Amino acid sequence: MDHFHYKYHASSFNLSKSNIHLVKQAYFFTFSNCYRQTFAKDMAGLLDKAKQFVSDTVASLEKPEATVKNVDLKGVDWSTVTYNAEVNVSNPYSVSVPIGEIRYNLKSSGSVIASGKVPDPGSLNGNCDTLLNVEIKVPHNVLVSLVKDIATDWDLDYELEVILVVDLPLIGDISIPVTSKGEVKLPSLSDYFNKSE
Protein backbone atom coordinates (compact mmCIF):
# COMPACT_ATOMS: atom_id res chain seq x y z
CA MET A 1 0.00 0.00 0.00
CA ASP A 2 2.81 2.34 0.87
CA HIS A 3 4.66 1.41 -2.31
CA PHE A 4 1.55 2.16 -4.40
CA HIS A 5 1.17 5.53 -2.64
CA TYR A 6 4.75 6.41 -3.42
CA LYS A 7 4.46 5.46 -7.09
CA TYR A 8 1.24 7.47 -7.37
CA HIS A 9 2.79 10.64 -5.97
CA ALA A 10 5.96 10.16 -7.96
CA SER A 11 4.03 9.88 -11.19
CA SER A 12 2.00 12.97 -10.24
CA PHE A 13 5.18 15.08 -10.12
CA ASN A 14 6.91 13.43 -13.06
CA LEU A 15 7.11 16.71 -15.11
CA SER A 16 8.75 17.05 -18.47
CA LYS A 17 11.50 19.61 -19.04
CA SER A 18 9.10 21.88 -20.92
CA ASN A 19 6.60 21.72 -18.07
CA ILE A 20 9.32 22.50 -15.54
CA HIS A 21 10.27 25.54 -17.62
CA LEU A 22 6.66 26.71 -17.64
CA VAL A 23 6.46 26.30 -13.85
CA LYS A 24 9.64 28.34 -13.44
CA GLN A 25 8.28 31.07 -15.71
CA ALA A 26 5.00 31.20 -13.79
CA TYR A 27 6.87 31.38 -10.47
CA PHE A 28 9.17 34.11 -11.79
CA PHE A 29 6.24 36.12 -13.16
CA THR A 30 4.36 35.85 -9.85
CA PHE A 31 7.44 36.85 -7.85
CA SER A 32 8.27 39.74 -10.21
CA ASN A 33 4.71 41.04 -10.14
CA CYS A 34 4.62 40.98 -6.34
CA TYR A 35 8.02 42.72 -6.23
CA ARG A 36 6.87 45.43 -8.63
CA GLN A 37 3.73 46.06 -6.60
CA THR A 38 5.71 46.25 -3.36
CA PHE A 39 8.31 48.54 -4.97
CA ALA A 40 5.59 50.82 -6.36
CA LYS A 41 3.95 51.09 -2.93
CA ASP A 42 7.31 51.83 -1.27
CA MET A 43 8.14 54.50 -3.86
CA ALA A 44 4.71 56.11 -3.49
CA GLY A 45 5.22 56.23 0.26
CA LEU A 46 8.67 57.79 -0.13
CA LEU A 47 7.35 60.40 -2.57
CA ASP A 48 4.54 61.33 -0.18
CA LYS A 49 7.05 61.73 2.65
CA ALA A 50 9.34 63.82 0.45
CA LYS A 51 6.45 66.09 -0.58
CA GLN A 52 5.41 66.52 3.04
CA PHE A 53 9.01 67.31 4.04
CA VAL A 54 9.31 69.98 1.35
CA SER A 55 5.93 71.42 2.30
CA ASP A 56 6.87 71.59 5.99
CA THR A 57 10.26 73.10 5.15
CA VAL A 58 8.75 75.83 2.98
CA ALA A 59 6.12 76.58 5.64
CA SER A 60 8.79 77.04 8.32
CA LEU A 61 11.08 79.27 6.24
CA GLU A 62 11.09 83.03 6.60
CA LYS A 63 9.50 84.67 3.60
CA PRO A 64 9.35 88.23 2.32
CA GLU A 65 6.40 90.18 3.72
CA ALA A 66 4.45 92.84 1.86
CA THR A 67 2.16 95.71 2.85
CA VAL A 68 0.35 98.34 0.79
CA LYS A 69 1.50 101.72 2.08
CA ASN A 70 -0.57 104.03 -0.07
CA VAL A 71 -2.87 104.21 -3.10
CA ASP A 72 -3.19 107.55 -4.85
CA LEU A 73 -4.19 109.13 -8.14
CA LYS A 74 -1.20 109.37 -10.48
CA GLY A 75 -2.50 110.63 -13.78
CA VAL A 76 -5.37 110.80 -16.23
CA ASP A 77 -5.99 110.81 -19.96
CA TRP A 78 -9.19 110.61 -21.96
CA SER A 79 -9.31 106.80 -21.92
CA THR A 80 -7.84 105.71 -18.57
CA VAL A 81 -7.22 106.85 -15.02
CA THR A 82 -3.92 105.71 -13.52
CA TYR A 83 -3.48 105.02 -9.82
CA ASN A 84 -0.23 104.17 -8.10
CA ALA A 85 -0.04 101.68 -5.25
CA GLU A 86 3.08 101.78 -3.09
CA VAL A 87 3.85 98.26 -1.90
CA ASN A 88 6.57 97.85 0.72
CA VAL A 89 8.29 94.44 0.77
CA SER A 90 10.66 93.26 3.52
CA ASN A 91 13.29 90.74 2.40
CA PRO A 92 14.79 88.70 5.29
CA TYR A 93 17.53 87.20 3.10
CA SER A 94 21.02 88.65 2.66
CA VAL A 95 20.83 88.26 -1.12
CA SER A 96 18.52 89.99 -3.56
CA VAL A 97 15.43 88.04 -4.55
CA PRO A 98 14.13 88.27 -8.14
CA ILE A 99 10.48 89.19 -8.61
CA GLY A 100 9.00 87.02 -11.32
CA GLU A 101 5.63 88.71 -11.56
CA ILE A 102 3.28 91.20 -9.91
CA ARG A 103 -0.46 90.77 -10.49
CA TYR A 104 -3.22 93.02 -9.21
CA ASN A 105 -7.01 93.27 -8.98
CA LEU A 106 -8.75 96.49 -8.04
CA LYS A 107 -12.33 96.14 -6.83
CA SER A 108 -15.08 98.59 -5.99
CA SER A 109 -18.62 97.81 -4.89
CA GLY A 110 -17.77 94.10 -5.14
CA SER A 111 -16.80 94.29 -8.82
CA VAL A 112 -13.36 94.16 -10.43
CA ILE A 113 -12.73 97.51 -12.12
CA ALA A 114 -9.10 96.88 -13.12
CA SER A 115 -6.69 93.97 -13.30
CA GLY A 116 -3.30 93.37 -14.84
CA LYS A 117 0.40 92.68 -14.43
CA VAL A 118 3.45 94.84 -13.85
CA PRO A 119 6.08 94.31 -16.57
CA ASP A 120 9.72 93.81 -15.55
CA PRO A 121 9.18 94.23 -11.77
CA GLY A 122 12.89 93.91 -10.85
CA SER A 123 14.08 92.38 -7.57
CA LEU A 124 14.00 92.80 -3.78
CA ASN A 125 17.12 94.17 -2.13
CA GLY A 126 18.78 91.91 0.44
CA ASN A 127 18.18 92.42 4.18
CA CYS A 128 16.05 95.53 3.76
CA ASP A 129 12.75 96.96 2.56
CA THR A 130 12.01 97.61 -1.10
CA LEU A 131 9.27 100.02 -2.16
CA LEU A 132 7.50 98.89 -5.32
CA ASN A 133 5.25 101.11 -7.41
CA VAL A 134 2.32 99.23 -8.92
CA GLU A 135 0.58 101.24 -11.61
CA ILE A 136 -3.11 100.45 -11.97
CA LYS A 137 -4.97 101.63 -15.05
CA VAL A 138 -8.74 101.93 -14.78
CA PRO A 139 -10.78 102.48 -17.97
CA HIS A 140 -12.49 105.85 -17.87
CA ASN A 141 -15.90 104.42 -18.78
CA VAL A 142 -15.75 102.09 -15.77
CA LEU A 143 -15.35 105.02 -13.38
CA VAL A 144 -18.17 106.90 -15.10
CA SER A 145 -20.47 103.93 -14.48
CA LEU A 146 -19.64 104.13 -10.76
CA VAL A 147 -20.39 107.85 -10.40
CA LYS A 148 -23.94 107.20 -9.22
CA ASP A 149 -22.54 105.31 -6.20
CA ILE A 150 -19.95 107.94 -5.28
CA ALA A 151 -20.38 109.94 -2.11
CA THR A 152 -20.30 113.74 -2.07
CA ASP A 153 -16.64 113.75 -1.01
CA TRP A 154 -15.72 112.39 -4.48
CA ASP A 155 -13.86 109.38 -3.05
CA LEU A 156 -14.12 105.79 -4.24
CA ASP A 157 -14.13 102.87 -1.83
CA TYR A 158 -11.72 100.22 -3.09
CA GLU A 159 -10.23 96.83 -2.30
CA LEU A 160 -6.82 96.13 -3.80
CA GLU A 161 -5.37 92.63 -4.15
CA VAL A 162 -1.69 92.36 -5.09
CA ILE A 163 0.18 89.08 -5.62
CA LEU A 164 3.97 89.09 -5.82
CA VAL A 165 5.64 85.99 -7.25
CA VAL A 166 9.26 85.80 -6.04
CA ASP A 167 12.01 83.28 -6.73
CA LEU A 168 13.46 82.11 -3.39
CA PRO A 169 16.89 80.40 -3.32
CA LEU A 170 16.65 76.58 -3.30
CA ILE A 171 12.84 76.76 -3.06
CA GLY A 172 11.68 78.32 -6.30
CA ASP A 173 8.65 80.49 -6.96
CA ILE A 174 6.30 81.40 -4.12
CA SER A 175 3.35 83.79 -4.10
CA ILE A 176 3.02 86.62 -1.59
CA PRO A 177 -0.55 87.96 -1.45
CA VAL A 178 -1.41 91.32 0.11
CA THR A 179 -4.79 93.05 0.38
CA SER A 180 -5.64 96.65 1.16
CA LYS A 181 -8.93 98.49 1.58
CA GLY A 182 -9.57 102.22 1.66
CA GLU A 183 -10.72 105.27 -0.25
CA VAL A 184 -9.07 106.77 -3.30
CA LYS A 185 -9.57 110.15 -4.93
CA LEU A 186 -11.44 110.31 -8.22
CA PRO A 187 -10.14 112.64 -10.94
CA SER A 188 -11.73 116.05 -11.22
CA LEU A 189 -12.12 118.21 -14.32
CA SER A 190 -9.01 120.16 -13.34
CA ASP A 191 -6.98 116.92 -13.41
CA TYR A 192 -7.92 116.47 -17.07
CA PHE A 193 -7.16 120.04 -18.08
CA ASN A 194 -3.89 120.17 -16.11
CA LYS A 195 -2.58 116.76 -17.20
CA SER A 196 -0.29 118.27 -19.83
CA GLU A 197 1.35 120.70 -17.41
Side-chain angles (χ1 to χ4, degrees):
M1 187 70 174
D2 290 338
H3 178 66
F4 171 78
H5 229 36
Y6 169 78
K7 287 181 69 178
Y8 172 77
H9 284 293
S11 62
S12 298
F13 292 96
N14 186 19
L15 301 175
S16 66
K17 288 184 178 180
S18 60
N19 287 338
I20 291 174
H21 180 67
L22 289 174
V23 170
K24 286 182 177 179
Q25 281 187 326
Y27 175 77
F28 177 76
F29 175 79
T30 303
F31 176 78
S32 298
N33 192 42
C34 291
Y35 177 78
R36 283 196 298 268
Q37 290 177 353
T38 303
F39 179 77
K41 288 181 180 179
D42 290 343
M43 286 302 296
L46 286 173
L47 287 174
D48 288 341
K49 289 180 180 179
K51 289 177 182 178
Q52 187 62 45
F53 173 77
V54 171
S55 178
D56 293 343
T57 301
V58 171
S60 64
L61 284 176
E62 278 192 293
K63 302 179 186 67
E65 295 182 354
T67 55
V68 177
K69 304 294 288 185
N70 187 44
V71 179
D72 203 359
L73 178 66
K74 182 179 181 179
V76 297
D77 58 37
W78 297 110
S79 61
T80 59
V81 177
T82 303
Y83 291 97
N84 184 69
E86 295 181 344
V87 181
N88 187 73
V89 188
S90 300
N91 178 16
Y93 299 102
S94 59
V95 297
S96 64
V97 174
I99 305 172
E101 186 179 63
I102 298 177
R103 302 190 299 269
Y104 65 81
N105 285 310
L106 182 65
K107 297 179 181 179
S108 182
S109 301
S111 300
V112 175
I113 61 174
S115 63
K117 298 179 182 179
V118 177
D120 192 21
S123 60
L124 304 176
N125 298 322
N127 269 342
C128 66
D129 291 358
T130 301
L131 189 64
L132 303 173
N133 290 305
V134 179
E135 285 195 2
I136 303 165
K137 294 187 178 294
V138 183
H140 184 263
N141 62 332
V142 173
L143 289 182
V144 170
S145 68
L146 294 172
V147 167
K148 60 185 179 185
D149 299 322
I150 297 170
T152 55
D153 57 4
W154 207 244
D155 288 335
L156 182 70
D157 292 332
Y158 74 86
E159 179 180 354
L160 176 62
E161 299 173 348
V162 178
I163 298 177
L164 289 82
V165 180
V166 299
D167 184 9
L168 292 185
L170 303 177
I171 299 299
D173 289 350
I174 67 163
S175 296
I176 305 171
V178 57
T179 302
S180 174
K181 294 181 179 181
E183 292 182 342
V184 68
K185 176 189 173 186
L186 287 163
S188 63
L189 289 176
S190 61
D191 291 318
Y192 285 96
F193 289 111
N194 295 330
K195 65 186 179 67
S196 59
E197 294 181 1

